[in-house]
Amino acid sequence: MTATADVPARARTSADLISAEEPVLAHNYHPLPVVVARAEGTWVEDVEGRRYLDMLAGYSALNFGHRHPALIEAAHRQLDRLTLTSRAFHNDRLAEFAERLAELTGLDMVLPMNTGAEAVESGIKVARKWAYEVKGVPADQATIVVAAENFHGRTTTIVSFSTDETARAGFGPFTPGFRIVPYNDLAALEAAVDETTAAVLLEPIQGEAGVIIPDPGYLTGVRELTRRKGCLFIADEIQSGLGRTGRTLAVEHESVVPDVLLLGKALGGGIVPVSAVVAGRDVLGVLRPGEHGSTFGGNPLAAAVGTAVVELLETGEFQQRAADLGVLLRDGLAGLVGKGVVGFRARGLWAGVDVDPAIGTGREISARLMREGVLVKDTHGSTIRLAPPLTITGEELESALGTLAKVLAEGA
Ligand SMILES: Cc1ncc(COP(=O)(O)O)c(C=O)c1O
């Protein structure tokens, strides 16, 4: 049978597709039972044609909504011309992507990669090399200080410094060289950083931990401390960056400029995986040919989509929408405190909402919202995360909050 653009080769029901996955797909996820078949903007549609408001946006990979016309057009144009060269050769899209991303972030140089975890891995390698070549740390002694409850990805090295036992158990032996301190604790950070420290690696807002926003002054303090102690500040903005919090970067809320910035998710416009390490020349300049690389990193399709993403952010429109609609989100959630919500944290169009455990787990609330046509994802316990596309309208946001109110009012 020939598949057309619209009809999969083997049309099946949602239930059929979910049970078909069971024997053939690794069980490393526990998705909500919705099978998405198409999407546009803030809306997705399942196999049976039911519509859902997407309040997760691919964990911020879809900041510009599904299939944003400018991004789809950039991808189509590039698909018709050139898709992959490898870095064995130059391609005619990469220079502009790097130039514009460096300009957007106010840093000098870009190392293009694909997934977020690869950007984190690359940032760690670059920081270690910087420590040996520039700072003068003795060979193989470099340390990197990270925060408890972090989420930076799933590779062996990254889970080596995770505090989530589910993410670690069974995957050792682990990579040494990391020190873990409590998040939002400058005194603990000060005590952990010494002459071996290459970098402090942090999320400016901890996403997977439940949208944990540090106290005002923390990021400024980290910047001051790392500068004073002579180590790098690596900000993992893979989830918090590119408009989500109402600014291009979450560190901008404290006017902080890190030495190394890790970007991913929304950089690929929800179309292709695109990530990057962005840093000063004094840091990324330590890499020389052959020392690090990726077959797909910086490919022309990724560069074309990434450039189109940067172009959207250059207007400031999406950052402004996140800031403006963030007020609506915050006010809406404040109105639910005591009515099923026990607490929440919000910045821009991003919130972690702690639901009264008597009403249900985060998973149960997410499943009820799904049945009412709103897609969200739980994090830990009774916390759900809201991160709609930045293209969401005020009416759509109010409607999602109304559905949340209804689900909470129905109780356990
Ligand atoms: C802050 C942060 N860093 C890194 C990653 C890993 O990104 P990826 O899943 O693309 O490897 C994530 C993913 O959720 C993230 O939130």
Side-chain angles (χ1 to χ4, degrees), residues 59 115-118 120 151-153 203 208 236 238-239 265:
Y59 301 98
T115 64
E118 281 176 295
V120 175
F151 187 87
H152 297 285
E203 297 157 86
E208 299 298 309
D236 180 346
I238 287 164
Q239 193 164 160
K265 294 194 192 279

Side-chain angles (χ1 to χ4, degrees), residues 84 111-119 122 238 263-265 267-268 272-277 293-299 302:
L84 188 71
L111 168 64
M113 299 299 288
N114 309 284
T115 64
E118 281 176 295
S122 306
I238 287 164
L263 296 173
K265 294 194 192 279
L267 196 55
V272 280
V274 184
S275 69
V277 179
S294 158
T295 303
F296 291 97
N299 72 71

Side-chain angles (χ1 to χ4, degrees), residues 75-95:
H76 276 157
R77 260 190 278 122
Q78 195 57 39
L79 277 171
D80 287 339
R81 203 155 64 72
L82 175 74
T83 55
L84 188 71
T85 52
S86 84
R87 294 288 302 280
F89 315 114
H90 297 270
N91 74 65
D92 68 348
R93 302 312 311 255
L94 193 48

